[in-house]
Amino acid sequence: MTSTAHLATVPPPTGWNALPPEYAIPEKAPSEAEAREYCRRLARSHYENFSVASWFLPSRLRQDFFNVYAYCRISDDLGDEVGDSAASLRLLDEWEAELNACYDGRPRHPVFVALSETVRKFEIPQQEFVDLLTAFRQDQAVSRYETFADLLGYCRYSANPVGHLVLYLCGYRDHERQLLSDYTCTALQLANFWQDVSADYAKGRVYLPLEDLRRFGVREDEIRTGRNSSAFCEMMRFEVERAREWFAQGLPLASKVSRELAIDIELFSRGGVEILNAIQRQGYAVLGRRPAISKTRKLALVARAALGKIL
């Protein structure tokens, strides 16, 4: 029988072993059909938000969205779920090598085998994929942001490339639409940050700008202890209103794209605003109590989007 003392000395899994086994880069590349199924399964089976959004995608684009989503999902997990910064950086380097191989026509990982066709078909610049990796590498070294401008710089890499990728898939390549998409994607990122203050702190990260903590007289120790002081809640009110302004700046995008994409943009934007509403409903006291959208409200959002598709 294994002793408890012995179990206590067993180190936690690291590197690829800390992630789902199917994430690892195989020795031999799968077939294109196997790679497409891999991305389809990853998007549909594990991640509810994508499954909901995909209801409104044109069927001709669905597989390409699955391929891009699979890339984004695994990239995010390499930066966030490994549990060791040095190991994350090493895996992100290996992942970027596979991205290079994708653009050179010789990938092994199923995500990149499937993504190769998407990249070729829509002429997607490699830099959009690289920018996401920049954000995940930054997470390994930077855990605090001095100013809101610094935080926006992070969102430039962590969120905005996703919007650009969606626009490429839908045939839009112009700067005007990309800029409007940036407002929406940054707003979504901010809403997630304000929703997850305690969870992010548990990972050693604070995305609230330090200049705002000082301005409102909030000590970081309040976040650590989960103390929703009046000063903290007032600061969160300010951050929520700021995120609402960014959502508002991105609203014109829906009128400049196809009806199908406009529905998805509305669904994600309203979902982000609902997160802000949930924060407001609990008096901006997000520490120790993650604001969430109820199933009823989620269904209402989807029903409204579906109605827009029908009318």
Side-chain angles (χ1 to χ4, degrees):
M1 182 179 292
T2 307
S3 69
T4 315
H6 173 71
L7 287 175
T9 64
V10 176
T14 59
W16 291 108
N17 292 330
L19 299 165
E22 61 269 22
Y23 278 20
I25 301 171
E27 289 297 321
K28 181 182 177 183
S31 69
E32 290 184 8
E34 290 169 334
R36 288 192 293 269
E37 174 56 28
Y38 176 100
C39 294
R40 200 156 47 235
R41 186 171 60 250
L42 179 64
R44 283 178 167 165
S45 302
H46 300 289
Y47 300 97
E48 180 185 84
N49 288 342
F50 186 87
S51 297
V52 169
S54 68
W55 293 349
F56 303 102
L57 294 175
S59 58
R60 70 183 185 280
L61 295 178
R62 198 158 293 164
Q63 182 64 55
D64 295 299
F65 270 87
F66 289 156
N67 300 344
V68 168
Y69 181 83
Y71 171 82
C72 295
R73 183 67 268 159
I74 294 181
S75 299
D76 190 20
D77 286 350
L78 291 176
D80 218 29
E81 301 297 332
V82 175
D84 176 83
S85 292
S88 280
L89 290 171
R90 185 175 68 254
L91 297 187
L92 286 166
D93 286 345
E94 293 180 27
W95 194 240
E96 186 169 6
E98 273 293 291
L99 175 63
N100 293 333
C102 171
Y103 275 81
D104 292 339
R106 47 181 179 80
R108 285 182 295 147
H109 196 283
V111 165
F112 293 104
V113 172
L115 197 59
S116 293
E117 173 63 14
T118 299
V119 163
R120 183 198 63 75
K121 186 164 48 174
F122 297 97
E123 300 179 342
I124 302 175
Q126 184 173 352
Q127 192 60 46
E128 300 290 0
F129 295 104
V130 172
D131 282 350
L132 282 169
L133 301 185
T134 297
F136 302 135
R137 288 191 176 101
Q138 187 169 323
D139 274 333
Q140 312 312 312
V142 180
S143 60
R144 304 291 187 278
Y145 291 86
E146 178 61 31
T147 67
F148 185 62
D150 293 335
L151 188 62
L152 293 181
Y154 173 76
C155 295
R156 148 81 177 81
Y157 295 104
S158 69
N160 298 356
V162 177
H164 296 181
L165 290 169
V166 170
L167 288 173
Y168 279 117
L169 293 182
C170 294
Y172 303 110
R173 312 178 68 87
D174 58 286
H175 176 69
E176 180 190 7
R177 288 183 179 88
Q178 287 188 351
L179 181 59
L180 291 171
S181 169
D182 290 348
Y183 285 126
T184 298
C185 290
T186 291
L188 284 166
Q189 180 78 89
L190 294 176
N192 287 143
F193 284 156
W194 309 158
Q195 180 185 35
D196 289 327
V197 175
S198 290
D200 288 331
Y201 190 84
K203 297 175 183 176
R205 299 170 190 162
V206 175
Y207 291 107
L208 290 159
L210 299 184
E211 65 179 2
D212 293 345
L213 268 71
R214 290 194 297 271
R215 174 183 170 185
F216 286 90
V218 177
R219 301 187 315 278
E220 191 173 309
D221 188 59
E222 293 175 44
I223 301 175
R224 181 182 64 81
T225 58
R227 180 170 170 258
N228 290 291
S229 66
S230 58
F232 176 84
C233 292
E234 191 58 33
M235 179 185 65
M236 289 307 304
R237 180 196 299 271
F238 170 76
E239 304 296 0
V240 164
E241 290 309 309
R242 183 147 61 177
R244 289 190 193 278
E245 291 170 6
W246 282 76
F247 275 118
Q249 291 182 83
L251 280 178
L253 179 60
S255 65
K256 298 178 183 293
V257 297
S258 68
R259 191 172 185 182
E260 292 94 341
L261 181 55
I263 290 168
D264 274 333
I265 290 171
E266 181 182 350
L267 183 61
F268 280 112
S269 296
R270 290 186 182 279
V273 170
E274 274 299 318
I275 291 173
L276 300 180
N277 291 343
I279 294 173
Q280 183 176 357
R281 279 194 298 273
Q282 61 186 57
Y284 306 96
V286 299
L287 298 179
R289 182 184 164 202
R290 185 179 188 267
I293 307 174
S294 70
K295 287 185 178 180
T296 302
R297 287 182 181 271
K298 284 182 182 178
L299 288 172
L301 291 172
V302 174
R304 182 165 184 171
L307 187 62
K309 191 177 180 71
I310 294 167
L311 296 179

